[in-house]
Amino acid sequence: MKQLRPAVLAGIFIVAGVLSWAGARLWNAYGTLPGIPLAAPIVLGVIAVVLLATALSLRARLKAQRERRPGAKGVEPLMAARAVVFGQASALVAALVAGMYGGVGVFLLADGLEVPARRDQAWYAAFSVLAGAAVIAAALFLEHVLKLPEDDDTTPHSPAHT
């Protein structure tokens, strides 16, 4: 399984933001812009907390297993793989969603915040972007915790190099 690259996540965020900004401009020109739900930053925040709790729990279990503490509960490889897949999927979706809400937020800021409802929507968008960044950070931390050590065999005649 390949590691997530922050550049890929940043690219997804930027492309989604630009497309969302353009879509918000177009939609606003033809009617009323749909609102950003209050639940968006809350749901992203909950996912970030779950990812962080999983990473901290697995890190503690792996440390106890490495130190060979009596009664230490090990980490099953399948559970670790599922956690990494959940983290990677969450980071990709969070980059997309944060980019979308970021684009709408930039449109709202540029359009003006005189209307209280639009000001609230801009705040929801900002909190959604921050919560999306928290999801990405927690997912990258989880991936770092569960990263397997690199192969130290660097002999020139090893089967891996031929």
Side-chain angles (χ1 to χ4, degrees):
M1 187 178 309
K2 290 188 177 187
Q3 263 188 304
L4 281 176
R5 292 187 180 153
V8 171
L9 296 172
I12 291 170
F13 174 81
I14 290 169
V15 168
V18 168
L19 290 174
S20 179
W21 172 79
R25 284 189 65 193
L26 182 64
W27 197 315
N28 193 54
Y30 288 110
T32 311
L33 188 64
I36 297 172
L38 175 61
I42 295 169
V43 169
L44 288 170
V46 168
I47 292 171
V49 168
V50 168
L51 285 170
L52 184 62
T54 302
L56 293 174
S57 171
L58 291 175
R59 184 176 72 167
R61 288 171 63 181
L62 287 170
K63 182 179 179 186
Q65 188 177 3
R66 274 193 307 271
E67 293 173 355
R68 298 176 193 237
R69 292 183 192 158
K73 188 175 179 184
V75 177
E76 295 177 24
L78 188 57
M79 184 183 75
R82 287 178 180 159
V84 169
V85 168
F86 174 61
Q88 287 183 346
S90 298
L92 290 168
V93 170
L96 180 67
V97 169
M100 289 172 43
Y101 288 137
V104 172
V106 167
F107 169 76
L108 290 171
L109 288 174
D111 194 45
L113 300 176
E114 294 82 26
V115 179
R118 288 224 172 181
R119 193 174 321 120
D120 291 343
Q121 294 296 305
W123 278 111
Y124 297 160
F127 290 139
S128 296
V129 171
L130 290 175
V135 169
I136 292 170
L140 291 174
F141 178 63
L142 174 64
E143 192 175 55
H144 172 74
V145 165
L146 294 175
K147 185 175 186 241
L148 293 174
E150 295 293 325
D151 189 14
D152 293 333
D153 187 17
T154 57
T155 58
H157 299 294
S158 69
H161 294 286
T162 56

